[in-house]
Amino acid sequence: MALNKQAEIARRMTGSKLSNQELFTMVGSISEEAKEKICPEIDKMIKDISLPLDKAYPAVMVGFYKMSVHYNIDSAVLFWIYMEWLKHNK
């Protein structure tokens, strides 16, 4: 998938207002150590919701928002790194 399309999806899923370039820059600045700490937490948050997708989506968005505040990382960046992490960890 093209990077611009990935950025669009990350923004739509999280409500972020970052530009493509801001998103690409921020994703690139997250260390592997940070990803390995944050992504399992995101995964647990999503699994703990345990609702059908149509009902889980609002709760997942809130979860991403809370984690973005906690880590001071935009929610679209968190979504992006989590999607990348899933490719290698599921």
Side-chain angles (χ1 to χ4, degrees):
M1 178 182 308
L3 292 178
N4 290 337
K5 186 66 172 174
Q6 283 181 254
E8 180 182 338
I9 291 168
R11 280 192 300 274
R12 285 187 183 191
M13 293 299 292
T14 63
S16 174
K17 301 296 182 201
L18 291 179
S19 70
N20 286 1
Q21 192 56 49
E22 290 169 321
L23 184 52
F24 302 151
T25 299
M26 292 176 87
V27 166
S29 72
I30 306 295
S31 71
E32 290 303 315
E33 294 81 21
K35 291 176 188 177
E36 289 303 315
K37 178 181 184 212
I38 296 168
C39 291
E41 289 181 32
I42 294 171
D43 196 53
K44 181 177 181 336
M45 176 267 297
I46 291 171
K47 288 178 180 172
D48 286 350
I49 293 170
S50 71
L51 293 170
L53 182 60
D54 61 328
K55 292 183 174 80
Y57 179 71
V60 170
M61 279 192 67
V62 169
F64 270 101
Y65 174 76
K66 287 179 180 178
M67 290 190 130
S68 75
V69 170
H70 176 74
Y71 285 107
N72 196 29
I73 299 171
D74 187 85
S75 56
V77 174
L78 292 178
F79 182 83
W80 184 300
I81 66 171
Y82 177 64
M83 290 294 108
E84 290 294 317
W85 180 84
L86 278 178
K87 289 180 190 177
H88 305 289
N89 291 282
K90 294 293 170 183

